[in-house]
Amino acid sequence: MATKTARPARASAPAYRCGECGWTTAKWVGRCGECQAWGTVEETGQTVARTTPAVAVASPALRISQVDATAASYQPTRIGELDRVLGGGLVPGAVILLAGEPGVGKSTLVLDVAARVARLGKDVLYITGEESSAQVKLRAERIGALAETLYLTAESDLGQALGQVERLSPSLLIVDSVQTLSSAAVDGTAGGVTQVREVAASLIAAAKTRGMTTILVGHVTKDGSIAGPRLLEHLVDVVCQFEGDRHSRLRLMRAIKNRYGPTDEVGCFDLTETGVEGLADPSGLFVSRTKDPVSGTCITVTLEGRRPLLAEVQALLAESSNSQPRRATSGLDSSRVAMLLAVLQQRASLSLHKDDSYVATVGGVKLSEPATDLAVALAVASAKTNQPLAARLIAFGEVGLAGEVRPVPGIAQRVQEAERLGFTHAVVPASPNGPGRVPAGFTVHEVSTLTEALQLLF
């Protein structure tokens, strides 16, 4: 009788893992197949392929009509701009990753959120790994973020942090920052790929099991991306970027990923001595207040996500003493401004080749949307002719190399925002569907070329 050969239950094979996102492969490659990062794939030794058997089901699957959706309902933080970005507020069991540059105000914002939630009678645990509890309390006193049920602890060990969570069972957990915690169960230093992966997985498991909202504060790298493995962004439910210029009071929050709401909303905040305050109408920071119209200025409406914001573009031309004129910009893409100067000279017959040009935005706002092209071109033309544009006028539209003014999205939305803030005229690109609903008493001038816009205004 022939002997039947037993099939091996498992097989070993060499494994390589990406240090950024955790992607694995059987052979070494120079570039990760998941996150496309170079030089991050390293050998992790032998891996064992196992098969997990089926086990008895502890909680059977439910019909979708029987699932209780109230467990994932929003709980407002009473910070309007933050609730706008999150989609309505905090969701029980959600894990939020908040990243930003040092000094942008992340810790101040989450401390304010912690105090507001604690004042609702809920227990909040704030774990700090970068400061002492006394330092956090001093900041809380400065911004008025004191509450009876807000607990502080300075921990850098993951086990101790989870022990605090076990003891208090908080409704909201804040970890500042996730790169400072480390686990004794795995090798590596705090902030490393292995440690961040282990810390994030343990905190996420605790949040999902307890229905505890968790906010993880993260660092960013020199290029502005979130530090640590890319796997961290995949594990959490919401990824928010908190950004702003160091020399400006304005702070913007964008949702890069949101499983519970939209990702095209932008929150505006004002960084003051008393904390971070939401700005429901931030347009005043980007528009100068002058009684009489000044040449070389033009107001535009840009869209940040779904939110229209007014911004002012200023241009100054001066006769150059050099053979090659200087082109300086602030808050605008220098290459795009250079293109608009060439279009003005070639298509609109404006002699600019002997002038130094300085084009900037007001308030330090950065405008990257092509819809601001028309405002930049009109500001430069106004500076060249020394003729100010009409008061209460806005302009937006994309300018092409042929001198045409192309339609942009959200024309009606931009016009309504301008009318709400007291403007009465708008120069917009001609569109097959028209400008949409125009408010009463508001005049819209549709133009199809840059030359047509210049003839209309000058």
Side-chain angles (χ1 to χ4, degrees):
M1 183 175 180
T3 304
K4 187 176 181 180
T5 304
R7 186 177 180 180
R10 59 184 183 179
S12 299
Y16 298 85
R17 182 189 297 272
C18 173
E20 289 293 326
C21 66
W23 177 73
T24 58
T25 179
K27 62 180 182 178
W28 182 88
V29 291
R31 188 177 189 181
C32 175
E34 177 70 22
C35 65
Q36 304 300 316
W38 288 95
T40 59
V41 178
E42 299 177 350
E43 185 176 0
T44 58
Q46 300 290 326
T47 183
V48 179
R50 295 183 176 89
T51 302
T52 302
V55 297
V57 177
S59 57
L62 299 175
R63 298 179 185 271
I64 191 171
S65 58
Q66 298 175 337
V67 176
D68 184 13
T70 58
S73 59
Y74 290 106
Q75 299 178 357
T77 63
R78 298 186 179 182
I79 302 178
E81 295 301 299
L82 178 60
D83 291 340
R84 173 199 293 265
V85 176
L86 296 178
L90 302 176
V91 176
V95 180
I96 303 170
L97 175 61
L98 177 62
E101 295 182 354
V104 76
K106 304 184 300 297
S107 300
T108 303
L109 177 62
V110 296
L111 185 57
D112 188 17
V113 172
R116 290 174 183 265
V117 174
R119 293 191 188 108
L120 299 177
K122 300 180 179 180
D123 291 338
V124 179
L125 176 60
Y126 190 107
I127 299 177
T128 173
E130 299 178 344
E131 302 173 286
S132 64
S133 299
Q135 291 174 319
V136 176
K137 183 180 179 181
L138 289 177
R139 184 189 299 115
E141 292 176 344
R142 176 171 56 85
I143 66 176
L146 296 176
E148 186 65 27
T149 57
L150 173 58
Y151 297 88
L152 301 177
T153 180
E155 293 288 354
S156 59
D157 181 73
L158 176 62
Q160 294 289 336
L162 293 176
Q164 296 281 6
V165 172
E166 184 75 22
R167 185 177 66 89
L168 294 174
S169 296
S171 299
L172 174 63
L173 171 65
I174 296 177
V175 180
D176 186 11
S177 65
V178 67
Q179 279 90 358
T180 59
L181 286 182
S182 61
S183 173
V186 296
D187 297 330
T189 59
V193 174
T194 306
Q195 286 289 350
V196 171
R197 184 186 297 112
E198 175 66 20
V199 169
S202 300
L203 293 176
I204 291 173
K208 300 301 181 183
T209 303
R210 299 173 174 274
M212 172 183 63
T213 306
T214 302
I215 300 179
L216 307 178
V217 178
H219 298 163
V220 296
T221 58
K222 292 182 179 179
D223 60 355
S225 59
I226 300 175
R230 198 62 184 265
L231 182 66
L232 180 61
E233 298 180 45
H234 293 297
L235 291 175
V236 299
D237 302 309
V238 183
V239 180
C240 293
Q241 191 86 20
F242 202 45
E243 56 191 39
D245 189 82
R246 187 177 295 272
H247 305 289
S248 174
R249 292 167 45 187
L250 178 70
R251 297 293 185 265
L252 297 178
M253 178 181 289
R254 310 175 191 271
I256 303 175
K257 169 188 175 182
N258 192 350
R259 289 174 177 165
Y260 307 106
T263 57
D264 54 357
E265 285 287 2
V266 176
C268 298
F269 299 86
D270 186 13
L271 183 62
T272 64
E273 295 180 355
T274 58
V276 180
E277 301 176 359
L279 286 176
D281 188 10
S283 298
L285 296 176
F286 310 140
V287 179
S288 62
R289 303 296 182 183
T290 55
K291 296 182 179 180
D292 301 321
V294 180
S295 61
T297 64
C298 184
I299 308 295
T300 188
V301 184
T302 181
L303 286 180
E304 288 287 348
R306 293 187 297 178
R307 185 174 192 168
L309 297 176
L310 263 69
E312 181 176 340
V313 178
Q314 296 183 340
L316 177 64
L317 300 179
E319 185 176 354
S320 178
S321 58
N322 302 322
S323 58
Q324 186 173 359
R326 184 178 181 184
R327 305 286 190 246
T329 61
S330 176
L332 296 162
D333 184 8
S334 58
S335 59
R336 196 160 190 90
V337 173
M339 181 199 74
L340 293 173
L341 295 176
V343 172
L344 284 169
Q345 179 163 320
Q346 191 70 19
R347 305 297 182 184
S349 302
L350 286 181
S351 180
L352 303 173
H353 63 284
K354 294 183 179 180
D355 295 331
D356 291 332
S357 66
Y358 304 88
V359 187
T361 59
V362 173
V365 63
K366 290 179 170 44
L367 301 180
S368 58
E369 191 186 13
T372 60
D373 289 351
L374 185 57
V376 174
L378 294 180
V380 173
S382 174
K384 181 63 179 179
T385 59
N386 199 25
Q387 297 182 32
L389 296 173
R392 301 176 183 268
L393 172 75
I394 65 164
F396 55 85
E398 181 183 357
V399 177
L401 293 179
E404 78 278 12
V405 180
R406 302 170 181 169
V408 295
I411 293 180
Q413 187 179 4
R414 300 173 199 255
V415 169
Q416 291 172 7
E417 178 69 9
E419 189 272 338
R420 186 181 71 84
L421 295 176
F423 290 82
T424 58
H425 294 74
V427 180
V428 305
S431 174
N433 301 325
R437 187 177 67 85
V438 178
F442 197 93
T443 304
V444 175
H445 304 280
E446 292 188 276
V447 297
S448 56
T449 64
L450 182 57
T451 303
E452 185 180 347
L454 296 177
Q455 292 174 350
L456 175 67
L457 299 175
F458 300 104

